[in-house]
Amino acid sequence: MTFAKSTQLPAGSDFRSLFERSAVETGFLLTVEDRFGIERLLHRRGTRNAPSPALLNGLLRHKLRISRGAPWPAPPELVVAGCHVTYMISGGGARSGVLSMSPAPAPGRILIASLLGATLVGMRKMQKVPLLRDDGQIETIVVLDVGPAPDRGPA
């Protein structure tokens, strides 16, 4: 599997164009619960402690606009809040955590109120999209596996 090298986002460029191609080609799907949770995070300023709150808010709003509704029940390969997701960034080793709608960090949790979590929510297993970093770098993220959270059994 080949991954793009990390590149710098050109000054004045619009990050939305990076995600529009991904959305058209493979799409993002949001459950009603995830859509509501993201709207609640934005409304309650749950992103204010993020390193780049304005950038994160823009990404979350854009994701709300470009994502389609997920079927019910959500497919098991869909990354949703509360699931355990294994992913890889730009050819690095596999990493994993439980995707969380909470704005408070916790060990083993990936916050949707972060650029990483905001990118992961709505992705599907083996989907690859650009990952915007707090420092303006753009990398590639791929979802390797999706499952129930370790403390929750199969649904």
Side-chain angles (χ1 to χ4, degrees):
M1 189 176 292
T2 304
F3 291 92
K5 286 189 174 189
S6 180
T7 57
Q8 185 73 26
L9 184 64
S13 67
D14 185 4
F15 71 88
R16 289 179 225 148
S17 63
L18 296 170
F19 294 95
E20 285 169 0
R21 189 180 80 242
S22 297
V24 169
E25 291 172 0
T26 55
F28 297 105
L29 300 174
L30 289 178
T31 63
V32 171
E33 294 84 7
D34 286 344
R35 186 173 292 278
F36 179 73
I38 291 169
E39 289 171 352
R40 190 174 54 234
L41 272 174
L42 291 167
H43 179 72
R44 294 184 178 169
R45 297 179 0 128
T47 60
R48 69 182 169 275
N49 295 323
S52 304
L55 186 60
L56 176 58
N57 288 344
L59 175 58
L60 286 170
R61 284 188 182 98
H62 186 65
K63 194 147 216 187
L64 287 172
R65 280 191 301 271
I66 66 170
S67 297
R68 294 175 294 154
W72 178 255
E77 69 274 0
L78 183 64
V79 178
V80 298
C83 77
H84 184 265
V85 60
T86 303
Y87 61 94
M88 186 173 13
I89 299 173
S90 293
R95 302 177 194 178
S96 68
V98 175
L99 196 62
S100 174
M101 198 60 76
S102 170
R109 303 283 176 180
I110 303 167
L111 303 181
I112 291 177
S114 69
L115 291 174
L116 173 62
T119 301
L120 284 169
V121 68
M123 289 180 67
R124 290 180 301 277
K125 186 175 177 178
M126 300 313 295
Q127 185 175 4
K128 182 172 35 170
V129 301
L131 171 64
L132 197 56
R133 296 298 217 165
D134 296 322
D135 62 2
Q137 296 284 323
I138 300 170
E139 297 184 281
T140 301
I141 186 167
V142 63
V143 173
L144 301 173
D145 196 24
V146 180
D151 58 338
R152 295 168 41 186

